[in-house]
Amino acid sequence: MDSAHTIRRVVTGHDADGKSVVVFDDVHDYKRRVQIWTTEGSPADNSGEVADAALRETRLEAPPQGSLFWMVELPPSRELASGAAAETAERLAAEGAVTHRDGHPGMHTTRTIDYMVVLDGEVTLLLDEGEVTLRKYDTVVQRGTAHHWENRGTEPARLAFVLLDAQPLP
């Protein structure tokens, strides 16, 4: 794997004696998106045997009262193949998002509150009204609004996301 496109994931847990231990220490390729962890329900259950929660189905909607933790690499928009916007809209809908045909083809809404940090590069957040360009270490709290992410730069943008289940909007 190309180290520029990998992320090391360390997950801790408890051994039979209740001592803290590393249960997963692995490397994942994230040329697009890698799911680091998910939880189902809140508060999260940190007890017992640890199954690899990253292997759960990848969806844009967090499990009820649960969470998702992702690393995403967004390539420059000009590098995307023709028809990529339509494919993105289809993928978003298949993963539980509500897509909006009246705006940008990638515009979507989820029933989540999302925390995002730009780790590298630059990304533009498009909203129904306006847009915001974000750079390294800029953060966003995305509160269930229609949005789309676009990389207008020349290098990939690397982003960290935590998505939490939220009450549906009226």
Side-chain angles (χ1 to χ4, degrees):
M1 281 189 238
D2 176 3
S3 64
H5 295 102
T6 59
I7 185 87
R8 182 178 178 196
R9 178 185 71 141
V10 176
V11 178
T12 65
H14 302 92
D15 67 13
D17 296 322
K19 302 287 185 186
S20 59
V21 296
V22 171
V23 292
F24 298 109
D25 185 348
D26 47 26
V27 177
H28 294 266
D29 183 9
Y30 78 113
K31 287 188 179 176
R32 175 65 182 117
R33 175 177 67 191
V34 62
Q35 185 162 273
I36 304 295
W37 201 251
T38 68
T39 62
E40 293 185 24
S42 182
D45 183 0
N46 287 331
S47 66
E49 292 292 318
V50 180
D52 191 344
L55 299 178
R56 294 181 182 139
E57 178 184 15
T58 301
R59 297 187 52 82
L60 284 174
E61 294 282 334
Q65 298 182 344
S67 68
L68 302 169
F69 177 26
W70 293 339
M71 298 295 290
V72 174
E73 182 175 280
L74 189 60
S77 297
R78 69 172 185 253
E79 291 182 11
L80 297 175
S82 174
E87 290 174 15
T88 297
E90 288 176 22
R91 180 182 49 77
L92 292 170
E95 291 183 12
V98 175
T99 56
H100 303 269
R101 298 285 179 203
D102 55 342
H104 190 281
M107 188 75 75
H108 65 284
T109 305
T110 57
R111 195 193 73 241
T112 57
I113 184 165
D114 308 346
Y115 304 130
M116 188 281 295
V117 179
V118 178
L119 301 176
D120 200 23
E122 182 176 294
V123 64
T124 301
L125 169 63
L126 286 76
L127 301 168
D128 288 329
E129 299 292 333
E131 60 184 55
V132 180
T133 299
L134 304 154
R135 293 173 183 81
K136 191 172 186 172
Y137 304 130
D138 288 347
T139 61
V140 173
V141 177
Q142 170 67 30
R143 300 180 57 236
T145 57
H147 66 285
H148 174 67
W149 301 102
E150 190 172 281
N151 180 348
R152 296 176 180 167
T154 58
E155 299 295 323
R158 293 183 179 89
L159 316 169
F161 286 89
V162 174
L163 292 78
L164 304 172
D165 185 34
Q167 294 292 327
L169 293 170

